[in-house]
Coordinates of all heavy atoms in Angstrom, one line a residue:
G1 N -6.0 5.7 -68.3 CA -4.9 5.4 -69.2 C -4.6 4.0 -69.5 O -3.4 3.6 -69.8
I2 N -5.6 3.2 -69.1 CA -5.4 1.7 -69.4 C -5.5 1.5 -70.8 O -6.5 1.7 -71.5 CB -6.5 0.8 -68.6 CG1 -6.3 1.0 -67.1 CG2 -6.4 -0.6 -69.1 CD1 -7.4 0.3 -66.3
I3 N -4.4 1.1 -71.4 CA -4.3 0.9 -72.8 C -3.8 -0.6 -73.2 O -3.5 -1.3 -72.3 CB -3.2 1.8 -73.4 CG1 -1.8 1.5 -72.8 CG2 -3.6 3.3 -73.3 CD1 -0.6 2.3 -73.5
S4 N -4.0 -1.0 -74.4 CA -3.6 -2.2 -74.8 C -2.2 -2.4 -74.5 O -1.4 -1.6 -74.9 CB -3.9 -2.4 -76.3 OG -3.5 -3.8 -76.7
P5 N -1.8 -3.5 -73.8 CA -0.5 -3.6 -73.3 C 0.5 -4.3 -74.4 O 1.5 -4.9 -74.0 CB -0.6 -4.6 -72.1 CG -1.8 -5.4 -72.4 CD -2.7 -4.5 -73.2
T6 N 0.1 -4.1 -75.6 CA 1.0 -4.7 -76.7 C 2.5 -4.4 -76.6 O 3.3 -5.2 -76.7 CB 0.4 -4.2 -78.1 OG1 -0.9 -4.5 -78.1 CG2 1.1 -4.9 -79.2
F7 N 2.9 -3.1 -76.1 CA 4.2 -2.8 -76.1 C 4.7 -2.7 -74.7 O 5.9 -2.4 -74.6 CB 4.5 -1.5 -76.9 CG 4.0 -1.6 -78.3 CD1 2.9 -1.0 -78.8 CD2 4.8 -2.4 -79.2 CE1 2.4 -1.1 -80.1 CE2 4.3 -2.5 -80.6 CZ 3.2 -1.8 -81.0
V8 N 3.9 -2.9 -73.7 CA 4.3 -2.8 -72.4 C 3.8 -4.1 -71.8 O 2.7 -4.4 -71.8 CB 3.6 -1.6 -71.6 CG1 4.1 -1.5 -70.1 CG2 4.0 -0.2 -72.3
L9 N 4.8 -4.8 -71.1 CA 4.4 -6.2 -70.6 C 3.6 -6.1 -69.4 O 2.6 -6.8 -69.2 CB 5.6 -7.0 -70.4 CG 6.4 -7.5 -71.5 CD1 7.6 -8.2 -71.1 CD2 5.5 -8.3 -72.5
A10 N 3.8 -5.2 -68.5 CA 3.0 -4.9 -67.3 C 3.1 -3.5 -66.8 O 4.0 -2.8 -67.0 CB 3.6 -5.8 -66.2
R11 N 1.9 -3.0 -66.4 CA 1.7 -1.7 -66.1 C 0.8 -1.6 -64.8 O -0.2 -2.2 -64.8 CB 1.1 -0.8 -67.2 CG 1.0 0.6 -66.9 CD 0.6 1.3 -68.1 NE 0.6 2.8 -67.9 CZ 0.0 3.7 -68.6 NH1 -0.6 3.3 -69.8 NH2 0.0 4.9 -68.3
R12 N 1.3 -0.8 -63.9 CA 0.7 -0.6 -62.6 C -0.2 0.6 -62.6 O 0.3 1.7 -62.9 CB 1.5 -0.6 -61.4 CG 0.8 -0.7 -60.1 CD 1.8 -0.9 -59.0 NE 1.2 -1.0 -57.7 CZ 1.8 -1.4 -56.7 NH1 3.1 -1.9 -56.7 NH2 1.1 -1.4 -55.5
H13 N -1.6 0.5 -62.3 CA -2.5 1.7 -62.2 C -2.9 1.8 -60.8 O -3.6 1.1 -60.2 CB -3.6 1.5 -63.1 CG -3.4 1.3 -64.5 ND1 -3.3 2.4 -65.5 CD2 -3.1 0.1 -65.3 CE1 -3.0 1.9 -66.6 NE2 -2.8 0.6 -66.6
P14 N -2.4 2.9 -60.2 CA -2.6 3.3 -58.8 C -4.1 3.6 -58.5 O -4.8 4.2 -59.4 CB -1.6 4.3 -58.4 CG -1.1 4.8 -59.5 CD -1.4 4.0 -60.7
N15 N -4.6 3.2 -57.3 CA -5.9 3.6 -56.9 C -5.9 5.1 -56.7 O -5.0 5.6 -56.1 CB -6.3 2.8 -55.6 CG -7.7 3.0 -55.2 OD1 -8.0 4.0 -54.5 ND2 -8.6 2.2 -55.6
L16 N -7.0 5.7 -57.0 CA -7.2 7.1 -56.9 C -7.9 7.5 -55.5 O -9.0 6.9 -55.2 CB -8.1 7.7 -58.0 CG -7.3 7.6 -59.3 CD1 -8.3 8.0 -60.5 CD2 -6.1 8.4 -59.4
A17 N -7.4 8.4 -54.8 CA -8.1 8.8 -53.5 C -9.4 9.3 -53.7 O -10.2 9.2 -52.7 CB -7.2 9.8 -52.8
D18 N -9.7 9.9 -54.9 CA -11.0 10.5 -55.1 C -11.9 9.6 -56.0 O -12.9 10.1 -56.5 CB -11.0 11.9 -55.6 CG -10.1 12.0 -56.9 OD1 -9.6 11.0 -57.4 OD2 -10.3 13.0 -57.6
G19 N -11.5 8.3 -56.1 CA -12.2 7.4 -57.0 C -13.4 6.7 -56.3 O -13.6 7.0 -55.0
P20 N -14.0 5.8 -56.9 CA -15.2 5.2 -56.2 C -14.8 4.2 -55.1 O -15.6 3.8 -54.3 CB -15.8 4.3 -57.4 CG -14.8 4.2 -58.4 CD -13.8 5.3 -58.2
R21 N -13.5 3.8 -55.1 CA -13.0 2.8 -53.9 C -11.7 3.4 -53.4 O -10.7 2.8 -53.5 CB -12.8 1.5 -54.5 CG -14.1 0.7 -54.8 CD -13.8 -0.6 -55.3 NE -13.2 -1.5 -54.3 CZ -12.9 -2.8 -54.7 NH1 -13.1 -3.3 -55.8 NH2 -12.2 -3.5 -53.8
P22 N -11.8 4.6 -52.7 CA -10.6 5.2 -52.1 C -9.8 4.1 -51.2 O -10.7 3.5 -50.4 CB -11.0 6.3 -51.3 CG -12.5 6.6 -51.8 CD -13.0 5.4 -52.3
G23 N -8.6 4.0 -51.3 CA -7.9 3.0 -50.5 C -8.0 1.6 -51.0 O -7.5 0.6 -50.4
G24 N -8.7 1.4 -52.1 CA -8.8 0.0 -52.7 C -7.5 -0.4 -53.4 O -6.5 0.4 -53.4
P25 N -7.5 -1.6 -53.9 CA -6.2 -2.1 -54.6 C -5.9 -1.4 -55.8 O -6.8 -0.9 -56.5 CB -6.5 -3.6 -54.8 CG -8.0 -3.6 -55.0 CD -8.6 -2.5 -54.1
D26 N -4.6 -1.4 -56.2 CA -4.1 -0.9 -57.4 C -4.5 -2.0 -58.5 O -4.8 -3.1 -58.0 CB -2.6 -0.7 -57.5 CG -2.1 0.4 -56.6 OD1 -3.0 1.2 -56.1 OD2 -0.9 0.6 -56.4
L27 N -4.3 -1.7 -59.7 CA -4.6 -2.7 -60.8 C -3.3 -2.8 -61.6 O -2.7 -1.9 -62.0 CB -5.7 -2.2 -61.7 CG -6.0 -3.0 -63.0 CD1 -6.6 -4.3 -62.7 CD2 -6.8 -2.2 -63.9
V28 N -2.9 -4.1 -61.7 CA -1.7 -4.5 -62.6 C -2.3 -5.1 -63.8 O -3.0 -6.2 -63.8 CB -0.7 -5.3 -61.8 CG1 0.4 -5.8 -62.8 CG2 -0.1 -4.7 -60.6
H29 N -2.0 -4.5 -65.0 CA -2.5 -5.0 -66.2 C -1.2 -5.6 -67.0 O -0.3 -4.9 -67.2 CB -3.0 -3.8 -67.0 CG -3.8 -4.1 -68.3 ND1 -3.9 -3.3 -69.3 CD2 -4.2 -5.4 -68.8 CE1 -4.5 -3.9 -70.3 NE2 -4.7 -5.1 -70.0
V30 N -1.4 -6.9 -67.5 CA -0.2 -7.5 -68.0 C -0.6 -8.2 -69.4 O -1.8 -8.6 -69.5 CB 0.2 -8.8 -67.1 CG1 1.4 -9.5 -67.7 CG2 0.5 -8.2 -65.7
D31 N 0.3 -8.1 -70.3 CA 0.1 -8.9 -71.6 C 1.0 -10.0 -71.6 O 2.3 -9.8 -71.7 CB 0.3 -7.9 -72.7 CG 0.2 -8.6 -74.1 OD1 -0.2 -9.7 -74.1 OD2 0.5 -7.9 -75.1
A32 N 0.5 -11.2 -71.5 CA 1.4 -12.4 -71.6 C 1.6 -13.0 -72.9 O 2.1 -14.1 -73.1 CB 0.9 -13.5 -70.6
Y33 N 1.0 -12.3 -74.0 CA 1.1 -12.9 -75.3 C 2.5 -13.3 -75.8 O 2.7 -14.4 -76.3 CB 0.4 -11.8 -76.2 CG 0.4 -12.3 -77.7 CD1 -0.5 -13.3 -78.1 CD2 1.3 -11.8 -78.6 CE1 -0.6 -13.8 -79.4 CE2 1.2 -12.3 -80.0 CZ 0.3 -13.1 -80.3 OH 0.2 -13.6 -81.6
R34 N 3.4 -12.4 -75.5 CA 4.8 -12.7 -75.9 C 5.6 -13.5 -75.0 O 6.8 -13.8 -75.2 CB 5.5 -11.4 -76.3 CG 4.9 -10.9 -77.6 CD 5.4 -9.5 -77.9 NE 4.8 -8.5 -77.0 CZ 5.5 -7.5 -76.5 NH1 6.8 -7.2 -76.9 NH2 4.9 -6.6 -75.6
L35 N 5.0 -13.8 -73.8 CA 5.8 -14.5 -72.7 C 5.6 -16.0 -73.0 O 4.5 -16.5 -73.1 CB 5.3 -14.1 -71.4 CG 5.3 -12.7 -71.0 CD1 4.7 -12.5 -69.7 CD2 6.7 -12.2 -71.1
T36 N 6.7 -16.7 -73.2 CA 6.6 -18.1 -73.5 C 7.2 -19.1 -72.6 O 6.9 -20.2 -72.5 CB 7.3 -18.4 -75.0 OG1 8.6 -17.9 -74.9 CG2 6.4 -17.7 -76.0
T37 N 8.2 -18.6 -71.7 CA 8.8 -19.5 -70.8 C 8.6 -19.0 -69.3 O 8.2 -17.9 -69.1 CB 10.4 -19.4 -71.1 OG1 10.9 -18.2 -70.8 CG2 10.7 -19.7 -72.5
A38 N 9.0 -20.0 -68.4 CA 8.8 -19.5 -67.0 C 9.6 -18.4 -66.7 O 9.4 -17.5 -65.8 CB 9.1 -20.8 -66.2
E39 N 10.8 -18.3 -67.3 CA 11.8 -17.2 -67.1 C 11.2 -15.8 -67.5 O 11.4 -14.9 -66.8 CB 13.2 -17.4 -67.8 CG 13.9 -18.5 -67.2 CD 13.5 -20.0 -67.7 OE1 12.9 -20.1 -68.8 OE2 13.7 -20.9 -66.9
D40 N 10.5 -15.9 -68.6 CA 9.8 -14.7 -69.1 C 8.7 -14.1 -68.1 O 8.6 -13.0 -67.8 CB 9.0 -15.0 -70.4 CG 10.0 -15.2 -71.6 OD1 11.1 -14.8 -71.5 OD2 9.5 -15.7 -72.7
I41 N 7.9 -15.2 -67.5 CA 7.0 -14.8 -66.5 C 7.7 -14.2 -65.3 O 7.3 -13.2 -64.8 CB 6.1 -16.0 -66.2 CG1 5.4 -16.5 -67.4 CG2 5.2 -15.6 -65.1 CD1 4.4 -15.6 -68.1
E42 N 8.8 -14.9 -64.9 CA 9.5 -14.4 -63.6 C 10.1 -13.0 -63.8 O 10.3 -12.2 -62.9 CB 10.6 -15.5 -63.3 CG 10.0 -16.7 -62.7 CD 11.0 -17.8 -62.3 OE1 12.1 -17.3 -62.0 OE2 10.7 -18.9 -62.3
S43 N 10.5 -12.8 -65.0 CA 11.2 -11.4 -65.2 C 10.3 -10.2 -65.1 O 10.9 -9.1 -65.0 CB 11.8 -11.5 -66.8 OG 10.6 -11.3 -67.7
I44 N 8.9 -10.5 -65.1 CA 8.2 -9.2 -64.9 C 7.7 -9.0 -63.4 O 7.0 -8.2 -63.0 CB 7.0 -9.2 -65.8 CG1 6.1 -10.5 -65.8 CG2 7.4 -8.9 -67.3 CD1 4.9 -10.4 -66.5
D45 N 8.3 -9.9 -62.5 CA 8.0 -9.8 -61.1 C 6.6 -9.6 -60.6 O 6.4 -8.8 -59.7 CB 9.0 -8.7 -60.6 CG 10.4 -8.9 -60.8 OD1 10.8 -10.0 -60.7 OD2 11.1 -7.9 -61.1
L46 N 5.7 -10.4 -61.2 CA 4.3 -10.3 -60.7 C 4.1 -10.8 -59.2 O 3.3 -10.3 -58.5 CB 3.4 -11.3 -61.6 CG 3.2 -10.8 -63.0 CD1 2.4 -11.8 -63.7 CD2 2.6 -9.4 -63.0
E47 N 5.1 -11.6 -58.8 CA 5.0 -12.0 -57.3 C 5.1 -10.8 -56.4 O 4.6 -10.8 -55.3 CB 6.1 -13.0 -57.0 CG 6.0 -14.3 -57.8 CD 6.7 -14.3 -59.2 OE1 7.3 -13.3 -59.6 OE2 6.6 -15.3 -59.8

């Protein structure tokens, strides 16, 4: 379900237990196109 993040700034995709890397990391997919200031970046809590 990884889609173009045009309308969602950040989306987390959890690792699947039955996938090729069980126990591996999740994937966070971010669109920074509309983020222009440091406050914008901080607001999506990537840290």
